[in-house]
């Protein structure tokens, strides 16, 4: 596929921002123009791709902040409060890091207790079968990169060792943070999901309510 055609396809995918069912745990460069010719890795890749990823202004009232957050959950727990469109990473001493998120729209939200089963940097996007049935024109796989609907990082949630098919991940639609728009997954600003990714280990408890 020629680069201009691929860019048009990616542009058409931007509003979807859906969860994927499988991704590679490692990241690969996007097959877009010069990026494919010079793969990057680690901090160098993050710096370059963050500059290319979509951005939008964030209301200071909802921006990431450390706040008072008394809870019975142990430090290290991730709590998503869907009605608030906020995610809390519990800290010691009644504190938490609060992040703005986008959540599932009506009928698509998930609630429960899970754990982080695995993590991925700039993961690939694989539309789930239900989406492919609705949109047979979509690719079965889109490599991770700055325009990917999954964004810079993803945390994969399992319940009793079974994949929930729900993720906490970055986004290519930062202007929709704070809204109920996703297909059920929890979307974060790319800068925020990188910050959370670095804090949260595999096995961490996640509470979505």
């Amino acid at each position: 596929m020629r680069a201009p055609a691929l860019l048009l396809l990616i542009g058409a995918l931007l509003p979807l921002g859906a969860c994927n069912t499988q991704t590679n745990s490692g990241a690969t460069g996007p097959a877009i123009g010069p990026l494919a010719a010079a793969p990057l890795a680690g901090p160098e890749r993050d710096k370059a791709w963050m500059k290319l990823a979509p951005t939008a202004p964030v209301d200071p009232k909802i921006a990431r902040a450390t706040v008072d957050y008394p809870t019975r959950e142990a430090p290290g727990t991730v709590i998503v409060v869907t009605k608030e469109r906020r995610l809390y990473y519990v800290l010691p001493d009644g504190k938490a890091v609060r992040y703005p998120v986008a959540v599932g729209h009506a009928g698509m939200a998930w609630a429960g207790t899970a754990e982080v089963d695995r993590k991925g940097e700039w993961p690939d996007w694989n539309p789930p079968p239900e989406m492919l049935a609705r949109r047979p024109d979509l690719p079965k796989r889109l490599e991770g990169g700055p325009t990917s609907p999954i964004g810079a990082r993803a945390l994969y949630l399992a319940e009793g060792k079974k994949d929930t098919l729900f993720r906490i991940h970055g986004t290519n639609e930062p202007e929709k943070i704070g809204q109920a728009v996703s297909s059920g997954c929890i979307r974060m600003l790319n800068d925020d999901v990188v910050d959370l990714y670095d804090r949260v280990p595999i096995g961490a408890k996640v509470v979505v309510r």
Side-chain angles (χ1 to χ4, degrees):
M1 183 182 293
R2 294 180 180 178
L6 181 57
L7 288 173
L8 288 174
L9 174 60
I10 292 172
L13 295 176
L14 295 184
L16 297 174
C19 298
N20 58 350
T21 55
Q22 291 181 326
T23 64
N24 294 334
S25 57
T28 55
I32 306 174
L35 289 178
L40 301 173
E44 183 182 22
R45 176 186 58 195
D46 281 345
K47 184 177 180 180
W49 287 7
M50 283 293 193
K51 291 180 179 179
L52 297 174
T55 59
V58 180
D59 185 341
K61 294 180 181 179
I62 68 169
R64 184 202 322 168
T66 299
V67 298
D68 292 326
Y69 192 71
T71 177
R72 294 182 180 180
E73 299 292 348
T77 302
V78 175
I79 301 174
V80 179
V81 184
T82 55
K83 289 183 179 180
E84 293 182 13
R85 286 93 186 257
R86 301 289 186 273
L87 181 151
Y88 296 87
Y89 176 76
V90 180
L91 300 172
D93 303 321
K95 301 286 186 178
V97 182
R98 184 190 64 198
Y99 306 85
V101 298
V103 300
H105 55 71
M108 299 295 287
W110 174 82
T113 300
E115 64 181 26
V116 177
D117 184 58
R118 57 193 177 96
K119 303 173 15 173
E121 298 185 10
W122 299 102
D124 298 342
W125 180 54
N126 298 270
E130 296 81 4
M131 179 172 288
L132 290 173
R134 296 193 305 267
R135 291 285 307 276
D137 57 305
L138 296 178
K140 293 184 178 180
R141 173 176 173 269
L142 185 65
E143 290 187 355
T147 56
S148 168
I150 307 299
R153 301 287 191 273
L155 307 179
Y156 302 87
L157 307 184
E159 190 174 18
K161 301 300 182 182
K162 182 179 180 180
D163 189 358
T164 65
L165 302 183
F166 291 93
R167 294 46 173 119
I168 298 171
H169 62 75
T171 184
N172 58 12
E173 295 184 299
E175 72 280 3
K176 293 185 177 180
I177 292 297
Q179 302 178 33
V181 293
S182 80
S183 295
C185 290
I186 306 302
R187 301 188 204 171
M188 302 181 70
L189 296 168
N190 281 326
D191 284 338
D192 284 351
V193 80
V194 169
D195 182 81
L196 182 69
Y197 182 99
D198 290 341
R199 295 175 185 270
V200 175
I202 291 175
K205 182 179 180 181
V206 179
V207 179
V208 181
R209 59 185 187 221

